Amino acid sequence: MTQLRFLLNDTEIALTEVGASDTLLDHLRLARRMTGTKEGCAEGDCGACTVLAGRLTASGLVYEPVNACIRLLASCHATHIVTIEHLRGPDGGLHPVQAAMIKHHGSQCGFCTPGIVMALYGLWMTNPQADATDIETALQGNICRCTGYAPIIRAALAAGAAGGQAQDALCRERDAVAARLAGMRGARVSLARGADRALVPADTDDLAQLLLDEPKATLVAGATDVGLWVTKFMRDISPAIFIGHLMKDITVEDGMIRLGAGVTYSEAAPLIARHVPRAAEYWSRIGGWQVRNAGTIGANIANGSPIGDTPPLLIALDARIVLRRGDVRRELALEDFFIDYGKQDRQQGEFVEQVLIPTQPQARIAAYKVSKRRDSDITSVAAGFCVDVAGGTITRARLAFGGMAATPKRARHAEAALEGQPFAAATFDAAARAIAEDFQPLSDMRASADYRATVARNLIRRFWLEQSEPGLPVRLRQSEGV
């Protein structure tokens, strides 16, 4: 197939000239003259460009807020893109979210307002009884520079109370839209604009063959990082293979969580809350809502960044990955996948297919993220801890850090200081001191080496304070200082 097909509001779009680097935002504003969707940061940070992307899943049609500025156009195949222009009430007037924003003075300069309205629209549809915390979480990826968030939160609460979801256009048209999207799927899509090529494989087997044919192609899942290669660094990513619709399988059996590499952070969140509850708050700090709806766990691993959010926690949990090349698969401990900065144990034509995470209900687990801004920010230091204790003695400890070295890495000297020792403050103080033997962090724009070293030591002590019995009178929270 040589056509990119998707729904844009009420209109079916079919495009033949599409390059790997073309963005949805540019298509909306330049080709369609739909200027309600704004460009603010062009890096998926401010949320002014938020639209809804509807996609077919095993449980039906799902709509999620995403960033149009880093949503590459080829990834929109067989989806329903909904922009601010599509919003309307049952009578054709203002949508309840729009009406509430006006009534409660939720807009001032108005530049960020369309993106905020679209994020709140996504929340209004999926969680009609959202409270203030739910609303704040939904708005993590939306920056308002002048109004402040109090009137926006009041507007969101009022819109939820007003209801009307059953009469909303996306609800009334859901079956028809799902049928139209289903009719667009099933074949490989090959697109080009001059020498700039984009490929959308039909399924995972097709992906495996494509990578054998195009071993140097750029793999694009959620584009939460690759999108910046395009918008900020002007990199040529052609040929690009778009895989965000693949490898969505999730199973939990025999003490193992098996995640397809294409599972997004949002899709994995319920599993994390159920099986690793002490890491649920950490998980909610991965980007903003729009980023969590697009970014995938497999790509976060395969990208190999030393400040990726998922590897420290997954390494601490003793996760493994399945790599595939053609029909050949191999299994590898996640910690062994990272070799050096920008270098992973992955052959040409090979891709991450699955992530395997043992469930450890008896272990003491924690995950921490320290960044300049609490929400929707890049990590300065991240840590994942998994400690087994029996009879007051630490029998096993896995401590992994991001942002402390060229790769996500275990703190083996600190682990050795814990194992076989009593679960006591003095033991964790010794481990905090031992971490100096594990890392010699760098200074950069996000943090100095001294700051990172201090944070790492204090996170080990913090783990003790949170896990000790009877513990602190007030539990430490991610939002408080280290």
Side-chain angles (χ1 to χ4, degrees), residues 458-478:
N458 285 349
L459 289 179
I460 292 175
R461 294 186 176 104
R462 176 175 176 169
F463 179 80
W464 154 254
L465 291 171
E466 291 184 343
Q467 297 285 338
S468 61
E469 296 295 344
L472 294 178
V474 179
R475 172 173 158 72
L476 291 172
R477 293 178 55 80
Q478 298 284 356

Side-chain angles (χ1 to χ4, degrees), residues 256-258 318-325 327-337 345 347 350-358:
M256 185 71 69
I257 301 170
R258 294 178 176 269
D318 202 14
R320 302 180 68 81
I321 58 174
V322 175
L323 294 157
R324 177 175 175 180
R325 185 177 188 275
D327 293 330
V328 178
R329 293 174 173 86
R330 64 186 176 106
E331 191 173 310
L332 182 70
L334 177 56
E335 63 183 293
D336 295 333
F337 178 68
D345 183 359
Q347 304 167 18
E350 195 171 42
F351 62 97
V352 179
E353 186 178 40
Q354 275 194 326
V355 182
L356 315 178
I357 310 169

